[in-house]
Amino acid sequence: MALLPIYTVPHPILRKKAQRVDKINKNIKRIISNLVETLRHEKGIGLAANQVGIPLQIAVIESKAEKSKNGEGVLSIPLTIIINPEITKFSSQTETAEEGCLSIPNIWGMVKRPSKVIVKGLNEKGEEIEIKASGLFARVLQHEIDHLSGILFTDKADLDTLHKITPDGQRIKINLLSL
Ligand code: ZN
C-alpha cells in the first residue's frame, strides 16, 4: 500500500471526466487499497481516483464518528468502494450543508443537494451494487460522483458562503477568483 499525492485546484485532471473501469484486475485492486489508505491518512470522508491523478471512475467513502478537518463532528459511514457509479434516483427534497474538499484545501461553503439518492455501480469484487443513501452519505456520494465528472463543490456552492478558516480559527470570506 502507498499514500498517493492529492491533486489540488487548478490541476486540469480535476476537470476531466474519469473513464469507466472495464475489468477489476490486480492493478485496480491496488489503486483501491491506496485510495483507502490515502483517504484515512488525510482524514477525509470521500476520495475520487482523479483526485490522486488516476482518471478512472473509482471512489472510496468512509467516515468514522470523529472530528473532521473543519473541527465539526461527522457521522459514521462504513467503508464504501464504488466503481463506475451512477445516480439512478434523486429525491426532490433537498438539504443544504457545508462541504469542503481535499482538492480545494481549507475552503468551505454551503451546497444544496438532493437529500436522498440511489446509486448503482460495482464493488471492489466487480459485483453490481445499489446504495440507497440519505443525509451525509447521500451528500458525499454526490460530491464524489461529481468529481468523476470533473465537477467541484465550488461549482454548486452558494458563493456568498465560501470561506476559509485561518490557523487561529478566524473565518474569512473568499471569492472563487482567489482559489
Ligand atoms: Zn472533493
Side-chain angles (χ1 to χ4, degrees):
M1 301 235 287
L3 289 177
L4 304 168
I6 306 280
Y7 287 51
T8 56
V9 285
H11 197 287
I13 196 166
L14 296 169
R15 289 303 192 177
K16 283 194 186 134
K17 192 169 164 57
Q19 291 161 18
R20 288 175 69 84
V21 174
D22 294 331
K23 208 178 172 190
I24 300 181
N25 54 23
K26 257 191 181 169
N27 183 42
I28 297 295
K29 287 184 176 163
R30 188 175 49 82
I31 290 169
I32 290 169
S33 68
N34 289 343
L35 279 170
V36 172
E37 189 184 359
T38 304
L39 176 70
R40 288 174 176 164
H41 176 79
E42 297 287 340
K43 300 199 188 324
I45 55 179
L47 187 61
N50 51 348
Q51 289 183 272
V52 295
I54 300 166
L56 292 174
Q57 290 196 26
I58 307 171
V60 299
I61 295 170
E62 182 182 55
S63 171
K64 293 175 181 167
E66 61 184 9
K67 286 192 173 180
S68 62
K69 271 191 170 171
N70 68 349
E72 286 179 9
V74 289
L75 300 170
S76 175
I77 302 168
L79 178 63
T80 303
I81 292 153
I82 185 121
I83 298 162
N84 302 338
E86 273 174 49
I87 297 175
T88 56
K89 247 184 192 171
F90 293 97
S91 63
S92 53
Q93 193 192 352
T94 59
E95 256 174 42
T96 302
E98 191 167 80
E99 292 188 24
C101 180
L102 293 172
S103 293
I104 312 174
N106 198 27
I107 304 290
W108 309 93
M110 301 299 283
V111 185
K112 184 164 111 175
R113 296 192 186 268
S115 49
K116 292 180 185 170
V117 289
I118 298 178
V119 174
K120 280 187 178 166
L122 303 175
N123 67 12
E124 71 279 16
K125 295 174 193 152
E127 298 160 344
E128 281 190 26
I129 53 170
E130 186 180 77
I131 301 169
K132 290 182 181 156
S134 60
L136 179 67
F137 192 17
R139 176 169 298 277
V140 183
L141 277 165
Q142 292 174 74
H143 179 118
E144 299 314 321
I145 292 169
D146 276 351
H147 268 303
L148 298 175
S149 298
I151 298 165
L152 300 171
F153 87 89
T154 43
D155 300 343
K156 296 187 167 177
D158 173 352
L159 297 181
D160 288 336
T161 67
L162 281 185
H163 66 279
K164 65 178 175 183
I165 308 271
T166 62
D168 58 351
Q170 273 195 317
R171 184 186 163 113
I172 297 177
K173 198 172 173 321
I174 55 139
N175 61 53
L176 270 186
L177 293 175
S178 64
L179 284 179

